[in-house]
């Protein structure tokens, strides 16, 4: 028991360490990965209309081309499949090889594949789309690794008083990534529009899409490599977390030295550090029912954290159905209510400009403020209350959009629709979009922390796939004539889709009661690592 007590003394030093410059450095280094994640995942929704015009316009058609349903689903969804795979793989690897050892690999993958996505080649539309999907899968694979590793690293460096705000600040960089995607698209489009002006499609279909437009979507995609490349050196210089080194790798001397070097806490004597890393009585004990080590598949893990894992995975799954379906296809929603003009009344780059402006406005008014409200209040209100309130308000605003949907479509009411839509995003981000990322990094044992976070995040990406694929089809008009005009089968319409998303939010509200509140508690207290089996 003495070893366990000494271990708690060392870990208590981490929990009580004052906020220092290194904490902010870690937030920036880890956060720039999430800035890149969001930019890369959401910038594709900006350029899909342009891709449709460039590669699928039919001569003589009254309307510009659009991506066929199967191509659109692949382009939008393949990165999520890669992300899901990366979350599971790198989460597992982060618990086996260490957080730092694989942290640089994820960023390197993002840099290479961002550039490669913009260089997608081929002699036919199918060739270009196939290579684009190939590189975006591996881009997603790298992005997936960033989720469990960044969250785990930040949670293990932070003190317990401000841990929630630190992890939330890393995740909040997603908001700036989404904002940057829209801003870059607006800037690049403005430059090309000034240099290569074009008439609307209705006036001159051929001239409405200058050949130089093919460079625009490539530049937008490739820009995502820049912020990742700028922080690669600093990511490689980050030391391993003291908790992983002491509790998992059992290198007590290195843990104490690293902790003292970067966090300016008292350096422990070698004998004390070795005692601190000695396993507590329960950490390697066998499960009494199945005689297996206390691992992910053991009875003991199921008893202590089984329902927690169900809670963190299911709430993230439901949140991402609603969140990603709205974010990826908000351009279609805005078109449905008339906030973006009909495609034929714009040039190719003019349409991209309008879509980017709409996404940027939503990010600026709803997405970014929501993230930083979470940073400000999460260690005051707690994760549980913010997640409950967020899910409830998401459902309320989606119902507020769905019930009077025809009213919002009427002339002069589109601005009200956008305001309501922005509030739905605000409470997603000042709510479950942030907390579902934070809590899995706080409640599981150190040796399984990244793995369980990866499982929870992967469940979220299943939800994102369901949302991005399902909503694309469900939101189509129930009128067969209108659905056929786009090449899609008949759907249930935007209004009924919003009702479905409100239902997902209410289900997330109920399942939140499976998730514990980590506010003000140490990681070891939440994970129950020091309790006897």
């Amino acid at each position: 028991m003495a070893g366990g007590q000494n271990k708690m003394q060392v870990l208590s030093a981490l929990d009580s360490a004052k906020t220092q410059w290194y904490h902010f450095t870690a937030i920036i280094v880890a956060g720039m990965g999430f800035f890149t994640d969001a930019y890369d995942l959401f910038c594709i929704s900006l350029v899909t209309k342009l891709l449709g015009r460039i590669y699928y316009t039919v001569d003589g058609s009254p309307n510009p081309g659009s991506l066929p349903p199967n191509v659109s689903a692949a382009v939008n969804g393949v990165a999520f499949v890669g992300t899901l795979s990366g979350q599971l793989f790198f989460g597992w690897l982060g618990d086996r090889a260490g957080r730092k050892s694989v942290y640089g690999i994820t960023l390197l993958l993002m840099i290479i594949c961002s550039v490669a996505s913009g260089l997608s080649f081929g002699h036919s539309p199918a060739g270009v789309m196939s290579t684009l999907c190939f590189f975006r899968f591996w881009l997603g694979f790298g992005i997936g690794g960033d989720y469990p590793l960044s969250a785990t690293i930040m949670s293990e460096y932070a003190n317990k008083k401000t841990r929630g705000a630190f992890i939330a600040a890393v995740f909040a960089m997603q908001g700036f990534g989404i904002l940057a995607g829209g801003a870059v698209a607006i800037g690049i489009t403005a430059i090309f529009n000034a240099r290569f002006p074009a008439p609307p499609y209705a006036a001159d279909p051929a001239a409405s899409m200058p050949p130089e437009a093919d460079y625009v979507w490539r530049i937008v995609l490739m820009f995502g490599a820049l912020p990742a490349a700028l922080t690669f050196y600093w990511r490689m210089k980050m030391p391993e977390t003291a908790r992983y080194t002491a509790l998992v790798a059992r290198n007590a001397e290195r843990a104490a030295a690293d902790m003292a070097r970067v966090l300016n806490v008292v350096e422990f004597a070698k004998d004390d550090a070795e005692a601190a890393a000695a396993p507590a009585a329960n950490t390697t004990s066998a499960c009494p029912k199945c005689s297996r080590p206390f691992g992910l598949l053991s009875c003991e893990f199921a008893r202590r954290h089984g329902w927690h894992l169900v809670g963190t995975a299911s709430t993230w799954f439901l949140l991402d159905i609603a969140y990603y379906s709205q974010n990826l296809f908000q351009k279609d929603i805005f078109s449905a209510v008339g906030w973006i003009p009909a495609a034929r009344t714009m040039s190719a780059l003019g349409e991209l400009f309008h879509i980017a402006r709409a996404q940027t406005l939503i990010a600026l008014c709803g997405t970014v403020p929501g993230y930083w409200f979470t940073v400000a209040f999460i260690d005051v209100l707690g994760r549980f209350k913010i997640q409950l309130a967020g899910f409830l308000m998401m459902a309320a605003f989606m119902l507020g959009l769905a019930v009077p949907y025809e009213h919002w479509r009427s002339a002069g009411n589109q601005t009200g629709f956008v305001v309501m839509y922005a509030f739905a995003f605000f409470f997603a981000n000042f709510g479950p979009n942030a907390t579902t990322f934070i809590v899995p990094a706080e409640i599981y044992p150190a040796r399984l922390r990244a793995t369980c976070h990866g499982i929870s995040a992967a469940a979220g990406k299943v939800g994102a796939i369901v949302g991005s694929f399902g909503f694309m089809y469900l939101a189509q008009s129930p009128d067969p004539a209108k659905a056929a005009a786009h090449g899609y089968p008949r759907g249930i319409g935007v209004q009924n889709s919003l009702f479905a998303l409100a239902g997902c939010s209410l289900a997330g509200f109920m399942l939140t009661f499976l998730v514990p509140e980590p506010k003000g508690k140490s990681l070891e207290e939440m994970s129950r690592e020091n309790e006897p089996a």
Side-chain angles (χ1 to χ4, degrees), residues 132-148:
L132 175 61
C133 288
F134 174 81
F135 290 124
R136 282 191 62 78
F137 172 85
W138 291 107
L139 172 65
F141 194 72
I143 289 172
D146 227 37
Y147 276 73

Side-chain angles (χ1 to χ4, degrees), residues 11 108 122 151 176-177 198 209 295 340 397 497 510:
L11 300 181
L108 192 60
F176 290 127
M209 186 177 62
I340 294 178
F397 279 104
S497 296
M510 298 303 297

